[in-house]
């Protein structure tokens, strides 16, 4: 990722002649307070006034005709006994949801209107339907209709007469999928030379039936819903006045994406889904998503469809999009500090989609640099450590529930910079890791008190492949943990992908009782440098198929425990040399902190070729991706 100099904007950015602008604000997450409107606590007026002041600042300083919002405005746990007891005693969950939704969404819409934006085009996120997961047979699963009704009534219908706001057909296609569950939450809306299509991607067939990892709800667009989308896109392509087609939903499709403090849900089947193939077929320009609280731009490998996953998070990040007939220019802004209404933001990324030539030119930089899904996402070379205050990591500031600067009780005031494609927000918090001569420049010297952990999440997710590579030097006889991927939300000791060194023998552990261990290899705890690669050859492989390379050569492996198809927790933080960010449940694992030296620690979300292993080892002349 290219670095960008911060620019503090004190006036409206200049727009190209003939262009117009809208703002992108995903995962705002600040509307829950409006559910308290009826109770009217003493703090409410002040926080609402701050919302209005911030929106007014955005309008005055950055302009824009409307705001696009790819989901997640609130907490949404309105079906729970605690929420009902504290707010609407005696109400049924259905009644509580409708009442809370009315206050939440009408208050939010009113504040944005007072600030200057009368058009909010918002997609349903998981928090708009009660927050994931949705266990089969649960109250939150049963109340999906009420969650949608509360949302649609305030966002998509006229408050005076209840008329749907976006009824203008697209050619011969209806503006919304009439007769489906989504007829009030999925719709097409044309503004000037752009067709916006908003998709409610949360599919449920039966509240008592589990259909995916999240329970009775999964992320997909199928059946009549997909057929409607196909019809709208086909009709839009016949209209010469529609220069760009922009689709928004809540869930990312192209993997991997950066993730911070999120449940990390993605759309089912990724780019192989019928939904994505439909966007590709009809040449959609940008697919907008949120959910993961981080910015990632990715280009579809088979077309010019761009996926832009972004973050809003209490106004601390947003994007402007300047639209002309043949260009889309995206600028990402990051809050510098203080109150959002102060308006102090820096430019943290730019993206250009230029269709003026024979082809389509797509260029990005900073936080909006176009990510190569096959690149080395994490790479710690240990050439330096940097004070955290000089290179802050997104998500580590102003947290109330925990001190993010501590790993396993020890404060971390420095970072080891991430040189991989996931960029500086995946730098690792660290302490008690000394820099000493290594295999390539400097290396990290670890003791039992060392800490090195990545606050941002992932990149493990579902059945997607992952590969690790690193140099190690140790004399320890213990079963040492080299790379840990413990869940930050749950306590189950499974669905992770850890690399250990058990008395000098490399071992991959995926649960407390399931491992793959290198066979017939010389022990690597001889005080010399050795290179280890451990990874999956393909998505969805079995534990027995995991490959281990030692000093560049493949080795035989031995399976312990049941052989399973690998499937990972999607909300993990990566730790190096110890358990670091993983929850206390991981303390029962039969591992000890690493004592020795590490160098060139790297992570990919795919399998590696023999040539790429040579690159990871630092061989001269090897071709690097």
């Amino acid at each position: 990722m290219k670095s960008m100099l911060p620019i503090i904007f004190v006036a409206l950015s200049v727009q190209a002649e003939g262009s117009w602008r809208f703002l992108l604000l995903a995962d705002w997450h600040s509307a829950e307070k409006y559910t308290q409107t009826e109770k009217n606590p003493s703090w409410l007026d002040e926080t609402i006034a701050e919302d209005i002041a911030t929106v007014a600042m955005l309008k005055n300083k950055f302009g824009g005709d409307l705001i696009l919002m790819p989901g997640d405005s609130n907490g949404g746990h309105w079906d729970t006994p605690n929420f009902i007891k504290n707010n609407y005693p005696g109400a049924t969950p259905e009644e509580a949801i409708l009442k809370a939704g009315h206050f939440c969404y009408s208050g939010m819409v009113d504040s944005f209107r007072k600030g200057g934006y009368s058009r909010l085009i918002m997609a349903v996120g998981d928090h708009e339907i009660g927050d994931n997961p949705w266990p089969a047979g649960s109250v939150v699963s049963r109340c999906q209709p009420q969650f949608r009704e509360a949302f649609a009534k305030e966002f998509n219908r006229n408050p005076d007469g209840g008329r749907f706001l976006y009824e203008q057909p697209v050619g011969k296609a209806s503006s919304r999928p009439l007769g489906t569950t989504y007829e009030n939450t999925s719709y097409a809306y044309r503004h000037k030379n752009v067709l916006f299509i908003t998709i409610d991607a949360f599919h449920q067939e039966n509240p008592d039936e589990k259909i995916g990892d999240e329970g009775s709800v999964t992320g997909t667009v199928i059946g009549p819903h997909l057929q409607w989308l196909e019809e709208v896109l086909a009709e839009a392509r016949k209209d010469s006045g529609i220069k760009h087609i922009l689709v928004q939903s809540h869930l990312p499709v192209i993997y991997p994406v950066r993730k911070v403090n999120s449940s990390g849900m993605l759309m089912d089947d990724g780019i192989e889904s019928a939904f994505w193939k439909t966007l590709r077929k009809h040449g959609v320009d940008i697919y907008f998503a949120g959910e993961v609280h981080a910015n990632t731009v990715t280009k579809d490998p088979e077309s010019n469809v761009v996926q832009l996953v972004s973050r809003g998070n209490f106004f601390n990040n947003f994007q402007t999009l300047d639209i002309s007939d043949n260009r889309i220019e995206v600028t990402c802004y990051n809050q510098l500090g203080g109150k959002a209404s102060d308006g102090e933001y820096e430019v943290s990324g730019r993206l250009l989609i230029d269709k003026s030539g024979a082809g389509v030119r797509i260029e990005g930089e900073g936080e909006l640099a176009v990510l190569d899904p096959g690149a080395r996402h994490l790479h710690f070379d240990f050439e330096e450590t940097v004070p955290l205050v000089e290179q802050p990591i997104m998500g580590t500031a102003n947290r109330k529930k925990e001190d993010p600067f501590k790993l396993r009780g020890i404060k971390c005031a420095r970072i080891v910079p991430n040189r991989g494609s996931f960029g500086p927000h995946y730098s690792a918090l660290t302490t008690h890791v000394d820099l000493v001569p290594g295999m390539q420049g400097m290396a990290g010297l670890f003791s039992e008190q060392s800490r090195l952990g990545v606050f941002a999440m992932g990149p493990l997710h579902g059945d997607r492949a992952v590969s690790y590579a690193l140099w190690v030097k140790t004399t320890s006889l213990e079963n040492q943990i080299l790379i840990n991927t413990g869940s930050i939300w749950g306590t189950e000791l499974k669905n992770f992908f850890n690399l250990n060194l058990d008395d000098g023998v490399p071992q991959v552990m995926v649960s407390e009782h399931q491992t793959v261990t290198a066979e017939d290899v010389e022990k690597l705890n001889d005080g010399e440098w050795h290179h280890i690669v451990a990874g999956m050859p393909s998505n969805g492989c079995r534990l027995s198929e995991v490959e281990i390379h030692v000093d560049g050569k493949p080795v035989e492996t031995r399976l312990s425990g049941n052989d399973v198809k690998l499937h990972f927790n999607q909300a993990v933080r990566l730790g190096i040399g110890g358990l670091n960010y993983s929850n206390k449940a991981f303390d029962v694992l039969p591992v000890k902190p690493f004592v020795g030296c590490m160098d060139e620690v790297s992570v990919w979300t795919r399998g590696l070729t023999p040539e790429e292993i040579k690159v990871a080892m630092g061989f001269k002349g090897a071709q690097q991706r």
Side-chain angles (χ1 to χ4, degrees), residues 290-303:
E291 167 64 6
V292 292
H293 311 156
N295 298 311
T296 308
V297 174
T298 321
K299 178 184 171 297
D300 177 50
E302 297 184 22
S303 73

Side-chain angles (χ1 to χ4, degrees), residues 376 440 471 531 600 604 609-625:
R376 175 162 46 179
Q440 299 177 38
W471 285 97
H531 194 258
E600 304 298 321
W604 294 257
T609 67
E611 184 71 11
E612 288 168 333
I613 291 173
K614 291 181 180 179
V615 171
M617 295 179 70
F619 280 7
K620 302 296 184 183
Q623 186 176 357
Q624 185 167 4
R625 179 165 184 171

Side-chain angles (χ1 to χ4, degrees), residues 36 69 82 121 129 150 184 201 206-207 220 263 277 283 313 316 369 393 397 421 448 468 481 582 601 608:
Q36 302 302 302
M69 308 183 83
N82 255 0
I121 304 178
I129 56 170
N184 293 315
N206 184 323
T220 191
S263 60
K277 290 178 180 178
N313 294 78
N316 61 33
I393 296 171
S421 65
E448 292 183 354
Y468 304 149
I481 189 160
S582 62
V601 178
L608 299 181

Side-chain angles (χ1 to χ4, degrees), residues 215-451:
S216 74
V217 176
T218 194
T220 191
V221 182
I222 57 175
H225 195 192
L226 181 64
Q227 182 180 348
W228 164 79
L229 176 62
E230 175 92 42
E231 292 169 357
V232 168
L233 290 172
E235 288 296 301
R237 281 306 174 206
K238 298 175 184 177
D239 188 336
S240 61
I242 296 175
K243 302 301 182 182
H244 312 289
I245 300 177
L246 308 180
V247 177
Q248 72 161 341
S249 187
H250 185 59
L251 303 177
V253 176
I254 302 179
Y255 170 85
V257 292
R258 302 175 181 98
K259 299 182 285 187
V260 176
N261 286 338
S262 166
S263 60
M265 187 176 176
L266 303 183
M267 196 83 85
D268 290 356
D269 302 321
I271 61 174
E272 298 304 315
S273 65
F275 170 71
W276 190 259
K277 290 178 180 178
T278 300
L279 303 191
R280 179 188 291 162
K281 173 183 175 182
H282 294 283
V284 166
D285 294 284
I286 303 179
Y287 172 70
F288 298 99
E291 167 64 6
V292 292
H293 311 156
N295 298 311
T296 308
V297 174
T298 321
K299 178 184 171 297
D300 177 50
E302 297 184 22
S303 73
N304 289 315
V305 183
V306 170
Q307 174 177 276
L308 172 51
V309 181
S310 61
R311 58 186 289 262
N313 294 78
F314 312 99
F315 293 117
N316 61 33
N317 195 264
F318 70 93
Q319 294 76 36
T320 60
L321 286 94
D322 294 315
I323 310 294
S324 59
D325 278 356
N326 53 25
R327 289 168 67 96
I328 301 173
E329 299 180 57
V330 188
T331 306
C332 185
Y333 296 91
N334 191 51
Q335 184 185 359
L336 289 176
K339 296 189 299 184
S341 60
D342 294 338
E344 294 189 7
Y345 288 82
E346 66 178 359
V347 173
S348 59
R350 300 185 192 274
L351 173 69
L352 170 66
I353 300 175
D354 186 351
K355 302 191 285 187
S356 61
V360 178
R361 182 163 62 98
I362 301 170
E363 297 179 352
E365 60 181 351
E367 287 196 46
L368 301 186
V370 181
L371 179 73
D372 176 2
R376 175 162 46 179
H377 303 309
L378 276 66
H379 178 204
F380 301 105
D381 60 11
F382 297 98
E383 294 308 299
E384 62 175 343
T385 65
V386 179
L388 177 62
V389 294
E390 293 182 10
Q391 293 188 22
I393 296 171
M394 182 173 62
T396 60
N398 301 321
R399 293 180 57 79
K400 298 178 182 179
K401 294 184 179 179
E402 62 175 304
D403 182 353
F405 306 106
K406 286 184 179 179
L407 290 177
R408 295 276 164 160
I410 299 182
K411 187 174 181 178
C412 299
R414 303 183 72 83
I415 63 167
V416 175
N418 174 36
R419 311 298 186 189
S421 65
F422 267 21
H425 289 313
Y426 276 76
S427 294
L429 293 160
T430 190
T431 191
H432 299 313
V433 175
D434 296 327
L435 301 186
V436 297
M439 278 300 296
Q440 299 177 38
M442 304 302 286
L445 175 61
F446 288 73
S447 69
E448 292 183 354
Q449 296 302 307
S450 297
R451 301 290 188 269

Side-chain angles (χ1 to χ4, degrees), residues 27-270:
D27 292 73
W28 181 50
H29 276 303
S30 194
E32 185 68 22
K33 57 180 169 284
Y34 291 97
T35 65
Q36 302 302 302
T37 301
E38 188 175 55
K39 297 174 71 174
N40 194 28
S42 59
W43 51 263
L44 185 60
D45 287 346
E46 182 179 351
T47 58
I48 291 176
E50 175 63 17
D51 277 356
I52 296 170
T54 301
V55 174
M57 176 277 298
L58 291 175
K59 186 67 174 179
N60 294 333
K61 190 170 285 192
F62 298 96
D65 292 7
L66 54 87
I67 299 182
L68 195 70
M69 308 183 83
D72 275 10
S73 62
N74 58 78
H77 297 160
W78 306 330
D79 61 295
T80 61
N82 255 0
F83 181 86
I84 295 171
K85 178 182 177 181
N86 292 332
N87 293 279
Y88 314 120
T92 65
E94 291 85 351
E95 291 168 342
I97 290 165
L98 292 174
K99 197 166 187 179
H102 167 68
F103 288 128
C104 179
Y105 299 131
S106 64
M108 175 183 167
V109 169
D110 185 59
S111 288
F112 275 81
R113 184 182 294 114
K114 288 177 179 176
Y117 293 99
S118 59
R119 181 76 67 186
L120 304 180
I121 304 178
M122 184 162 178
V124 168
D126 56 291
H127 282 266
E128 277 70 46
I129 56 170
D131 193 16
N132 60 330
W134 301 271
S138 65
V139 172
V140 70
S141 289
R142 188 183 74 233
C143 289
Q144 291 301 290
Q146 287 75 34
F147 279 111
R148 281 191 172 83
E149 180 183 345
F151 174 86
K153 181 179 179 182
E154 307 299 339
F155 275 105
N156 299 338
R157 289 194 172 277
N158 188 308
D160 298 326
R163 181 180 60 83
F164 196 77
L165 295 175
Y166 307 103
E167 288 189 331
Q168 185 65 36
V170 181
K172 297 179 181 179
S174 171
S175 65
R176 53 194 179 119
L178 294 171
T180 74
T181 302
Y182 317 98
E183 65 179 9
N184 293 315
T185 49
S186 289
Y187 58 90
Y189 166 66
R190 180 171 174 180
H191 184 80
K192 297 181 178 177
N193 57 353
V194 167
L195 182 67
F196 291 97
I197 302 177
T198 294
I199 298 292
D200 174 355
F202 294 92
H203 178 74
Q204 184 187 61
E205 296 177 2
N206 184 323
D208 297 320
E209 179 185 353
K210 180 179 179 180
I211 58 174
D213 290 344
E214 303 294 339
S216 74
V217 176
T218 194
T220 191
V221 182
I222 57 175
H225 195 192
L226 181 64
Q227 182 180 348
W228 164 79
L229 176 62
E230 175 92 42
E231 292 169 357
V232 168
L233 290 172
E235 288 296 301
R237 281 306 174 206
K238 298 175 184 177
D239 188 336
S240 61
I242 296 175
K243 302 301 182 182
H244 312 289
I245 300 177
L246 308 180
V247 177
Q248 72 161 341
S249 187
H250 185 59
L251 303 177
V253 176
I254 302 179
Y255 170 85
V257 292
R258 302 175 181 98
K259 299 182 285 187
V260 176
N261 286 338
S262 166
S263 60
M265 187 176 176
L266 303 183
M267 196 83 85
D268 290 356
D269 302 321

